């Protein structure tokens, strides 16, 4: 005997059991079937609303058909004291907005802090922007994205930090990368400093030169000079002059070919 199957609406709910790696990696992958149905609707930022009406802003990172809750997810976890084994239910409304329910290890719903409780703890006051003006915010974001930045470039203004974050998100980098926020000394000497961590991980001390690719222009070799117990520097006189690079411009170098030491350069001009 055949049974008639009723057409099922696209599921607007999903749940995730929080595993240790989603806490350690500070991101949460959105299920494939949900992405299939609603992925095209999701913007670069999601709004998560708890039963008390508290709003959390979480950035969304897309890589092909894979989508994560990314920057801001770890703040969400810390705020609600979520541990491995907890379960979070997401109900999609529209416009990248989700209502969330959180269940602890006893399978019971947690106590959500009220607005009066929240006001007693300034650490968790809501902010309109997930990125604020301290260097740690930018550094943490770049580390989550797998991008290195030299220590001297971490002292940034609020505006630089926000611009850098938006620039990185627009590129959707797929390879190891590092960021440079040009300073006047860099411009004066036409040089770029490669962070120690990046240099040690992807280059050996006997590397003599690298190649820089800009858009579809020809690759140009650049001699490098290693710094004792550090990374290395290279000069790019022609590039700085042709691109009219200035103090405050943001440069991102993506290592697109490790065996040929080929870096692709992306530039965001300062205001």
């Amino acid at each position: 005997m055949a049974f008639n199957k009723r057409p099922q609406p696209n599921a607007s709910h999903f749940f995730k059991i929080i595993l240790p790696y989603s806490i350690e990696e500070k991101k949460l992958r959105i299920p494939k079937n949900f992405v299939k149905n609603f992925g095209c609707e999701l913007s670069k930022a999601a709004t998560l609303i708890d039963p008390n009406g508290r709003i959390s802003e979480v950035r969304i990172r897309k890589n092909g058909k894979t989508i994560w809750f990314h920057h801001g997810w770890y703040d969400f976890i810390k705020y609600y004291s979520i541990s491995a084994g907890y379960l979070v239910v997401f109900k999609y409304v529209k416009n990248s907005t989700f209502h969330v329910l959180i269940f602890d290890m006893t399978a019971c719903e947690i106590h959500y802090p009220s607005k009066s409780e929240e006001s007693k703890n300034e650490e968790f006051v809501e902010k309109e922007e997930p990125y604020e003006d301290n260097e740690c915010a930018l550094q943490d974001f770049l580390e989550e994205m797998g991008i290195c930045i030299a220590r001297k470039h971490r002292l940034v203004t609020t505006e630089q930090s926000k611009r850098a974050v938006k620039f990185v998100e627009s590129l959707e980098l797929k390879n190891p990368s590092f960021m440079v926020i040009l300073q006047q000394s860099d411009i004066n000497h036409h040089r770029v400093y490669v962070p120690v961590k990046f240099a040690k991980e992807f280059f050996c001390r006997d590397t003599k030169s690298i190649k820089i690719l800009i858009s579809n222009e020809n690759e140009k070799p650049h001699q490098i000079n290693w710094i004792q117990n550090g990374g290395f520097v290279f000069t790019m006189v022609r590039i700085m002059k042709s691109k009219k690079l200035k103090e405050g411009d943001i440069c991102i170098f993506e290592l697109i070919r490790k065996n040929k030491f080929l870096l692709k350069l992306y530039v965001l001009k300062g205001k």
Side-chain angles (χ1 to χ4, degrees), residues 65-92:
K65 296 181 180 180
T66 303
I67 301 180
W68 295 272
F69 290 129
H70 207 263
H71 194 78
W73 172 249
Y74 189 62
D75 293 331
F76 179 85
I77 285 177
K78 289 193 298 181
Y79 179 80
Y80 292 102
S81 300
I82 296 173
S83 302
Y86 277 44
L87 182 145
V88 183
V89 178
F90 298 84
K91 178 184 177 181
Y92 182 56

Side-chain angles (χ1 to χ4, degrees), residues 254-271:
E254 181 184 15
L255 184 59
I256 58 176
R257 294 181 191 170
K258 295 180 183 180
N259 59 335
K260 293 187 176 181
F261 305 122
L262 177 61
L263 295 160
K264 185 172 183 178
L265 172 62
Y266 305 88
V267 177
L268 178 65
K269 301 289 291 182
K271 293 184 177 180

Side-chain angles (χ1 to χ4, degrees), residues 15 37 51-52 57-58 70 97 112 126 136 150 202 206 215-216:
F15 72 86
N37 292 328
N52 285 341
E57 297 290 340
V58 178
H70 207 263
T97 299
Y112 304 97
E126 292 180 36
C136 294
F202 300 107
D206 58 357
S215 300
N216 294 320

Side-chain angles (χ1 to χ4, degrees), residues 48-55 76 80 89 98-103 109-115:
L48 308 182
I49 306 175
D50 75 13
N52 285 341
R54 183 186 187 274
I55 295 175
F76 179 85
Y80 292 102
V89 178
F98 298 82
H99 289 291
V100 295
L101 298 175
I102 305 170
F103 298 84
E109 195 170 0
I110 68 166
H111 167 74
Y112 304 97
S114 65
K115 292 184 178 180

Side-chain angles (χ1 to χ4, degrees), residues 125-143:
V125 172
E126 292 180 36
K127 301 173 182 179
E128 293 183 359
E129 289 287 341
Y131 310 111
E132 290 301 314
D133 59 353
N134 62 73
E135 60 182 275
C136 294
L138 178 60
Q139 182 181 349
D140 290 345
F141 171 78
L142 293 177
E143 286 180 355

